Amino acid sequence: MNRNWVDKEEWCPADGFRLEAEAMDTVVNDKNTLVVAGPGAGKTELLAQRACFLLETNTCRYPKKILAISFKKDAADNLRERVELRCGKELSLRFESKTYDAFAKEIVDRFKNSLDESYRPLNNYKIAETKDIKRAFEIAGLNFGENQTEFNRVGNILSANILPLSTDCIAEIFICTWNILLKGSRNDNFESSLTFEMISRLAEYLIRTNRYIKKAIEMTYSHVFLDEFQDTTSIQYDLVKTCFFQTGTIITAVGDSKQRIMLWAGARKSIFSDFQNDFLSQKRTLMMNHRSAPRLVEIQKAMYNSLNEDIIDLKTNEKWNQEDGEAYLRLFEDYIKEADVLSEEIDSLISTGIKINEICIIVKQMVDVYSQEIIDKLAQHNIKARNEAVYQDLLKEDVIKILVSLFRLASKDGMPDDWDYIYDILCELDGIDESCNPQIIKDFIRKVELMINDTKKKLNITYEEQFSDLVDYTIKYISYEKFASKFQQYKSRDYFDNLVEQFKRLVWIEYDETKDWIKAIDNFEGKNSIPIMTIHKSKGLEYDTIFFVGLEDSAFWNFKNQPDEDRCTFFVALSRAKRRIDFTFSSNRPTQFSSIQKHDCINEFYELFKDTGIVKKIEY
DNA sequence: GGTGCGTTCCTTTTT
DNA sequence: GGAACGCACC
């Protein structure tokens, strides 16, 4: 490799970023590290800068690589893009950013022939859905009927143990079910189907029992990043530990115990201390909150005590004045009045120049119940607001990203980002790279341009069916088979077709309303609407102003059972806001629970507001 | 048709 | 946690 590496002492953060001392030390040091970083501390940026340091100084020695593992696909994509932006395409080829499930599945798919026959899945195994697991249990002789709770309980046991399974640690029925899922059952017309948990267990087993594979992984990755570490499950931790325990690979784990809101979904409670003990890691605490205004940070700090967290002297970004930050608690008699007031507040925010997608409405649960009236009232002010969940899921899909970019290219000239993206992805799908004959590349570009031009000509549309045909034409041009071979998940034609159908339907709604393709695509992407989502979906995001609707007992129905986790959940909502946050309570709300609301159980949040003296209480 | 009992719903990601 | 629903029973 012909390249001048940067001297370690001379390296400085890319793009003029200034890092606080603890962050800078984390970026350049060579020890296993647990980074405790609160909201807005710049976790992604820290990891991106560390990747740049390791690659640019050749500390991650060529041709070794960095492995970054996240939970969600968009988080993994985001980090990869950030690193590419900071240190360029060439170096970032040695930065692999992927999800736990992708990492595990790649190992299983690549090495499954090394598994013992008894644990080797069939070549054409599929990803098991809930009904497949139920069916497998049935074939093994256990029937749940409609009892969901019992199924959840039993289903969790299925992958609770490391392989190989024996009757010493697990009942016979589970071993039998594993076998049915691994091998399918011809008599029962049941295909080989694996859950992601099973795939992780298989990957871990492969690495633990095959020293060549273990060595290969160890040799490939000199450095590993673990994102959102507080949410790591035991299955995921077992995999990481088997790969890198007592090896030369250096791990940087980044997380925040104050944002631990996935315990109910199986996150491992002792993960921070386990990691520190197993990997003899040092611990670093970041002191910056770049996101929130000083007065909002004061409220966040006031929660540290109830979150069992040491008070630290948090620093805010210098772009803020000390008196910046607003917080309101609005108490209503009924939800109609609440919707009136909120829509007027939002209207006046927008008229002061706050961008519409810098405002977010957050609820604890059941987006539609808590937000329908507000959506209707906002519509009367000509402001769009929408349940973001379905769009979040769609927009992270590669086929949707491709369609969005293609239609934007067809509707408007001079969209270089879209062109770069489409060119890269279509090259990949067509197996074209720089090593190809220049004429082939030239022809390829010409062909793509022709297709886009062709689409452009066909955009003059009156009926939904014409749009549907046009989308089909685009998919056909690329070819479904190419999608399916590049993206595993599209091997299920139903899944793929369903995504395309949703794209057609939702984009058409927008076009029908605006008669403008650019606006329709922008609207589809959410550039002109207020997103509404649950706290869990909002994790990792930030907005100028947050409206938290429904600070009520029935939204926190599980508070008595899991007060610590719900405090964290509240903290996550609170810490999404950059400049302003409004909480609302309504005595009257049409939920499936009680229609008369109280806040007795979560009074500590109301006390907290009072104690800080920052939150302005308004009764209507 | 009243009663009592049990169940359901409510926060999630991943190829 | 707590309303709402289905069901068996008298």
Side-chain angles (χ1 to χ4, degrees), chain A residues 185-327:
Chain A
S185 167
R186 195 162 291 177
N187 292 339
D188 303 279
N189 194 19
F190 183 78
E191 287 175 87
S192 172
S193 321
L194 304 183
T195 65
F196 285 107
E197 286 86 359
M198 291 172 74
I199 291 170
S200 287
R201 286 297 186 206
L202 288 169
E204 191 273 340
Y205 182 51
L206 254 172
I207 295 160
R208 177 159 40 86
T209 54
N210 188 317
R211 63 196 181 94
Y212 296 104
I213 298 172
K214 178 164 165 55
K215 201 75 200 160
I217 288 176
E218 205 183 313
M219 297 300 285
T220 308
Y221 304 111
S222 64
H223 295 81
V224 171
F225 298 171
L226 304 173
D227 200 8
E228 300 269 27
F229 194 56
Q230 76 281 354
D231 294 335
T232 308
T233 65
S234 290
I235 299 177
Q236 292 162 340
Y237 185 63
D238 287 343
L239 176 59
V240 167
K241 195 170 161 185
T242 298
C243 289
F244 304 113
F245 181 60
Q246 293 184 343
T247 67
T249 301
I250 295 164
I251 300 184
T252 310
V254 184
D256 183 10
S257 48
K258 299 183 290 308
Q259 295 182 66
R260 186 177 291 177
I261 63 176
M262 300 302 285
L263 290 173
W264 62 275
R268 179 170 168 134
K269 210 168 179 184
S270 58
I271 189 75
F272 281 17
S273 57
D274 291 344
F275 176 72
Q276 287 203 76
N277 294 334
D278 290 338
F279 289 90
L280 307 172
S281 89
Q282 53 169 354
K283 182 177 165 185
R284 301 264 158 203
T285 307
L286 300 191
M287 311 291 272
M288 276 298 287
N289 183 329
H290 294 279
R291 176 186 299 151
S292 301
R295 279 156 62 88
L296 296 192
V297 172
E298 279 307 307
I299 307 174
Q300 293 171 27
K301 262 161 71 176
M303 280 201 75
Y304 273 51
N305 215 354
S306 65
L307 295 170
N308 301 317
E309 196 79 13
D310 295 333
I311 302 278
I312 55 168
D313 187 22
L314 279 174
K315 300 270 189 294
T316 50
N317 195 295
E318 54 199 27
K319 73 184 175 199
W320 297 109
N321 294 316
Q322 277 313 301
E323 65 276 12
D324 282 345
E326 297 169 52

Side-chain angles (χ1 to χ4, degrees), chain A residues 48-64:
Chain A
Q49 295 287 355
R50 177 157 167 81
C52 290
F53 169 80
L54 295 172
L55 294 168
E56 287 168 354
T57 60
N58 204 27
T59 307
C60 167
R61 285 187 84 86
Y62 181 86
K64 291 203 175 197

Side-chain angles (χ1 to χ4, degrees), chain A residues 353-369:
Chain A
I354 303 291
K355 278 204 213 131
I356 191 159
N357 59 1
E358 271 293 315
I359 300 169
C360 180
I361 297 171
I362 287 183
V363 299
K364 171 72 171 52
Q365 59 183 39
M366 294 192 296
V367 169
D368 296 327
V369 171

